[in-house]
Amino acid sequence: MEKQTVTIYDVAREASVSMATVSRVVNGNPNVKPATRKKVLEVIDRLDYRPNAVARGLASKKTTTVGVIIPDVTNIYFSSLARGIDDVAMMYKYNIILTNSDENGGKEVQVLNTLMAKQVDGIIFMGNQVTDELREEFRRSKAPVVLAGSVDAQKTQPSVNIDYVAAVAEAVKSLIDHGNRKIAFVSGSMDQTINHDYRLKGYKKALKDAGISYDDKLVFETDYTYKAGQSLEPALAAAGATAAFVGDDELAAGVMNGLTDAGVSVPEDFEVITSNDTKLTELVRPKMSSITQPLYDIGAVAMRLLTKLMNNENVDENTVILPYGLMKRSSTK
Amino acid sequence: MEKQTVTIYDVAREASVSMATVSRVVNGNPNVKPATRKKVLEVIDRLDYRPNAVARGLASKKTTTVGVIIPDVTNIYFSSLARGIDDVAMMYKYNIILTNSDENGGKEVQVLNTLMAKQVDGIIFMGNQVTDELREEFRRSKAPVVLAGSVDAQKTQPSVNIDYVAAVAEAVKSLIDHGNRKIAFVSGSMDQTINHDYRLKGYKKALKDAGISYDDKLVFETDYTYKAGQSLEPALAAAGATAAFVGDDELAAGVMNGLTDAGVSVPEDFEVITSNDTKLTELVRPKMSSITQPLYDIGAVAMRLLTKLMNNENVDENTVILPYGLMKRSSTK
DNA sequence: CGCAAGATTGAAAACGCTTTCACATCAAAG
DNA sequence: CTTTGATGTGAAAGCGTTTTCAATCTTGCG
């Protein structure tokens, strides 16, 4: 009992016009006499005809779907971007093929290839380690690729981000202004461009501006997980830190809770400022001060930029920088 | 400078075989002489041929992509399921077209239609208000549909869930066992089957078993948002509740924080137990006691079930119920 | 009324692959 | 050597659209 499918041919026959005409009305081509259009529309309605997007994709070489590579949907930072991406994608009639990469280079390359095989019209990439191999795949791709909330050391791809260096510098400066001299820098892998080339740079800049010397014993490279943060307290104490800048909200929540559990009170004895301003910052107690980022917008703008690229519209600025801010909550004085 | 694409025809020509043969080696069909296979493989490699999945989809009537309808990726409960879905999808070589529905009936129907137009091989639906119209769409769909972490009053679709009635009953019973008599039931819209037909039923059952009479003043119908929970304290106090069962973790975090902010200490003065065991339960302080659910597995099993359905394998049980548990943390005594 | 310029339409060729069916080949058996 | 049953292979017909190009209608105008 395979369900029967109605094709454009059936409609053409029933309406006694050609497939071409049906195609025209379906696609809103204006070169159709109103009377014919009406007739065709009626048949379409009567037969409940629904165009087959795959056939259309083959014939037109456009699939109206874009690939989205995300480290992990479960991470609120990225899912917030994804939400922005999907909303504007829908607005422009695109669909999203979403795949988790775990920031695993091999998987990323593989995923990229299957996306290209599926003939996506464009790709949005999230992830902060653009390997040479990956960059090579981007280049060979006929579909435009834009990075969202993600940086590439060689700035070769269109991207949407905030000014991480300035944001981190400002965040760290606020810590310094509160009298802290030993400020920990806590983040994920230093292999990630965003940590190594941006955040750390901002951190160093703030220190330098304040005349504090940089000490790599205060740099903690760890996982972006709650657990990792939670178990950091002893190390933080050992290093004599009195405050910390943290590169991820979940990680920061871990750090804070680990501190609190160890009897260190935040922000009195230890200040914490985090990076992403996800809703986690409001859930934990004390609420976390954070760099603020227009998460949804980063995704939305990235997708919007991608639509332009896919349309071959020329864009004035390929790498867009959105504004950031600083939100003081209760994890800092 | 359109990038040139290599087709199966090019490979056939270069290898001096027919397209059929190339197709066979690409698809691992065993009826190819090893020598020919080798020859073809070499050409494929040399020309860097990548099969066009759209053309393949048109010819074979299989797209190896499934649609996933999710209320909001940003909600950790659902994104956890989505992660499970994507992982097993990848395992079985499927891709995921992900769309947010906001549990908006109209949008759901529309999305469903575009998914069907894209010829997805199957659909995973998350959302708890299956309207008649939606159910009708499911029925007319030639692709199988399975519900993940979502229930339909008419149990007509394959689905993967836990036993919500029993789980809630048990959770509420634990609250009763701690001496509470006035237990609030806090959840999202009562229009949602899961709240109305399952959770509330479990709640009532627990009350009844304990000989406590049901009082609808203790039922709080609200949004699934942190904010909604946070502002609930006055109402909770007014109703004289000393404990609450909450249907969503983010909402529960709000409730708890609202309580705490109002000077009510949890769990001493007020106990809270939540439903989804997402990572939020561990982030907040006190950590939240919760019904535990195998979130990732619900998604994974749903996807696995879908693969079987797509293959027309016959499955013994269309509606699978996964085990739940109760995790005592610090928001209950 | 005649004609050029649009405005509408249709025929048919792609699009890049899978799949059916028939044909050719080959090794083993008689 | 034939015969036979596998085994390998190719030709060609789809799959359901879009799109090009030419053909056919309509108009407005002189």
Side-chain angles (χ1 to χ4, degrees):
Chain A
M1 51 158 278
E2 260 308 301
K3 314 203 182 179
Q4 190 57 51
T5 76
V6 179
T7 73
I8 199 175
Y9 178 78
D10 299 319
V11 176
R13 180 169 32 71
E14 289 290 306
S16 21
V17 298
S18 72
M19 290 163 42
T21 299
V22 178
S23 176
R24 289 194 186 94
V25 349
V26 168
N27 294 296
N29 183 315
N31 299 344
V32 181
K33 190 158 47 168
T36 344
R37 179 187 308 281
K38 179 151 176 291
K39 183 173 59 175
V40 171
L41 250 16
E42 278 169 7
V43 175
I44 285 180
D45 197 50
R46 178 155 60 79
L47 302 189
D48 193 27
Y49 165 67
R50 293 127 178 261
N52 179 323
V54 172
R56 189 197 300 246
L58 181 58
S60 70
K61 295 174 165 299
K62 298 221 160 301
T63 54
T64 62
T65 105
V66 316
V68 174
I69 297 177
I70 193 173
D72 183 1
V73 242
T74 263
N75 177 310
I76 310 198
Y77 170 70
F78 289 115
S79 66
S80 300
L81 303 196
R83 188 61 216 258
I85 294 170
D86 186 44
D87 281 1
V88 349
M90 169 153 291
M91 204 169 295
Y92 286 88
K93 315 276 190 207
Y94 283 93
N95 285 104
I96 286 312
I97 296 188
L98 197 282
T99 43
N100 298 89
S101 70
D102 294 314
E103 307 230 32
N104 166 147
K107 206 168 167 186
E108 286 169 339
V109 170
Q110 182 204 327
V111 155
L112 208 51
N113 275 307
T114 98
L115 287 177
M116 288 165 52
K118 296 229 164 156
Q119 312 297 120
V120 295
D121 296 337
I123 292 174
I124 292 201
F125 181 87
M126 296 178 264
N128 282 299
Q129 287 179 73
V130 179
T131 62
D132 292 342
E133 191 183 0
L134 211 49
R135 199 153 24 226
E136 183 46 43
E137 293 290 342
F138 288 164
R139 186 165 300 122
R140 92 190 322 170
S141 163
K142 61 174 69 169
V145 178
V146 357
L147 308 184
S150 307
V151 289
D152 173 15
Q154 344 244 101
K155 305 185 174 109
T156 160
Q157 293 296 325
S159 62
V160 181
N161 288 284
I162 62 164
D163 181 343
Y164 301 109
V165 177
V168 173
E170 199 169 314
V172 173
K173 176 172 189 307
S174 79
L175 260 16
I176 294 174
D177 288 348
H178 298 168
N180 296 288
R181 308 293 291 177
K182 295 203 153 209
I183 300 172
F185 177 91
V186 182
S187 78
S189 163
M190 277 303 163
D191 289 345
Q192 297 195 174
T193 305
I194 193 173
N195 289 323
H196 183 267
D197 288 8
Y198 291 72
R199 290 184 179 138
L200 190 57
K201 196 164 159 193
Y203 170 77
K204 286 181 176 171
K205 177 173 184 308
L207 293 188
K208 188 168 177 206
D209 289 352
I212 301 177
S213 62
Y214 169 75
D215 175 2
D216 62 12
K217 291 201 179 44
L218 285 167
V219 172
F220 298 84
E221 185 176 356
T222 149
D223 286 344
Y224 284 137
T225 64
Y226 176 78
K227 276 213 160 0
Q230 201 178 17
S231 53
L232 215 58
E233 188 274 336
L236 252 17
T242 61
F245 160 81
V246 186
D248 175 87
D249 292 357
E250 197 174 327
L251 178 58
V255 169
M256 242 182 44
N257 285 166
L259 252 12
T260 305
D261 292 351
V264 178
S265 60
V266 179
E268 293 76 11
D269 304 339
F270 198 107
E271 295 185 61
V272 174
I273 191 163
T274 183
S275 295
N276 297 336
D277 197 41
T278 62
K279 44 186 169 183
L280 292 188
T281 57
E282 301 261 351
L283 288 187
V284 297
R285 289 303 144 90
K287 295 180 185 174
M288 293 188 283
S289 299
S290 177
I291 291 172
T292 62
Q293 305 191 26
L295 299 182
Y296 181 93
D297 293 348
I298 291 176
V301 170
M303 184 63 210
R304 178 65 183 106
L305 174 56
L306 186 61
T307 63
K308 289 181 185 163
L309 261 15
M310 292 187 295
N311 269 337
N312 293 310
E313 297 174 29
N314 73 323
V315 302
D316 17 294
E317 195 40 273
N318 250 342
T319 100
V320 1
I321 299 296
L322 263 23
Y324 67 88
L326 230 48
M327 178 58 152
K328 194 211 159 305
R329 295 201 182 82
S330 319
S331 66
T332 55
K333 289 176 199 163
Chain B
M1 56 157 278
E2 262 306 301
K3 313 202 183 177
Q4 190 58 51
T5 76
V6 180
T7 74
I8 198 174
Y9 178 77
D10 298 320
V11 176
R13 179 169 33 71
E14 287 292 307
S16 21
V17 297
S18 71
M19 289 162 44
T21 298
V22 177
S23 176
R24 289 192 186 94
V25 348
V26 167
N27 294 295
N29 182 316
N31 299 343
V32 181
K33 189 157 49 167
T36 332
R37 177 185 310 281
K38 180 151 177 291
K39 183 173 58 176
V40 172
L41 251 14
E42 278 169 7
V43 175
I44 286 180
D45 197 49
R46 178 156 60 77
L47 303 189
D48 193 27
Y49 165 67
R50 291 128 178 262
N52 178 323
V54 172
R56 189 198 300 244
L58 182 57
S60 69
K61 295 174 164 297
K62 299 221 161 299
T63 54
T64 63
T65 106
V66 315
V68 174
I69 297 177
I70 193 173
D72 184 2
V73 242
T74 263
N75 176 311
I76 310 196
Y77 170 70
F78 289 116
S79 66
S80 300
L81 303 196
R83 187 63 217 255
I85 294 169
D86 187 44
D87 282 1
V88 350
M90 170 152 290
M91 206 170 294
Y92 285 88
K93 314 276 190 207
Y94 283 93
N95 284 105
I96 286 313
I97 295 188
L98 198 282
T99 44
N100 297 89
S101 70
D102 293 314
E103 307 231 33
N104 166 149
K107 206 166 166 187
E108 285 169 340
V109 169
Q110 182 204 327
V111 155
L112 209 50
N113 276 307
T114 97
L115 288 178
M116 287 165 51
K118 296 229 165 157
Q119 314 298 117
V120 296
D121 295 336
I123 291 175
I124 292 201
F125 181 86
M126 295 178 264
N128 282 299
Q129 286 181 75
V130 180
T131 62
D132 291 342
E133 191 182 0
L134 209 51
R135 198 148 31 222
E136 183 46 42
E137 293 290 342
F138 286 165
R139 187 165 299 119
R140 93 191 322 170
S141 163
K142 61 175 65 170
V145 178
V146 356
L147 307 185
S150 307
V151 289
D152 173 14
Q154 345 242 101
K155 302 183 174 112
T156 160
Q157 293 296 325
S159 63
V160 181
N161 289 284
I162 63 163
D163 181 343
Y164 301 108
V165 177
V168 173
E170 199 169 315
V172 173
K173 177 173 187 307
S174 80
L175 258 17
I176 293 173
D177 288 349
H178 297 168
N180 296 287
R181 308 293 291 176
K182 295 202 154 210
I183 300 172
F185 177 90
V186 182
S187 78
S189 164
M190 276 302 162
D191 289 344
Q192 297 196 174
T193 305
I194 193 171
N195 289 324
H196 183 267
D197 289 8
Y198 291 72
R199 289 183 180 139
L200 189 58
K201 196 163 158 193
Y203 171 77
K204 286 180 176 172
K205 179 174 184 307
L207 293 187
K208 189 169 175 204
D209 287 353
I212 301 177
S213 62
Y214 169 74
D215 176 1
D216 61 12
K217 292 203 178 42
L218 285 168
V219 172
F220 298 84
E221 186 176 355
T222 150
D223 286 344
Y224 283 138
T225 64
Y226 176 79
K227 275 212 160 5
Q230 200 177 19
S231 54
L232 215 59
E233 189 274 334
L236 252 18
T242 61
F245 160 81
V246 186
D248 176 87
D249 292 357
E250 196 174 328
L251 178 58
V255 169
M256 241 182 45
N257 284 167
L259 253 11
T260 305
D261 291 352
V264 180
S265 61
V266 179
E268 293 76 12
D269 304 337
F270 198 106
E271 296 184 61
V272 174
I273 190 163
T274 184
S275 296
N276 297 336
D277 198 40
T278 62
K279 45 185 168 183
L280 292 187
T281 58
E282 301 261 353
L283 287 189
V284 297
R285 288 303 143 90
K287 296 181 186 174
M288 292 188 284
S289 298
S290 177
I291 291 171
T292 61
Q293 305 191 27
L295 299 181
Y296 181 94
D297 293 349
I298 291 176
V301 170
M303 183 64 210
R304 179 64 183 105
L305 175 56
L306 186 61
T307 63
K308 288 181 186 165
L309 261 16
M310 293 186 295
N311 269 337
N312 294 310
E313 296 176 29
N314 72 322
V315 302
D316 17 293
E317 195 41 273
N318 250 342
T319 101
V320 0
I321 300 296
L322 262 22
Y324 67 89
L326 231 48
M327 179 59 151
K328 194 211 161 307
R329 295 202 182 82
S330 319
S331 65
T332 55
K333 289 177 196 160

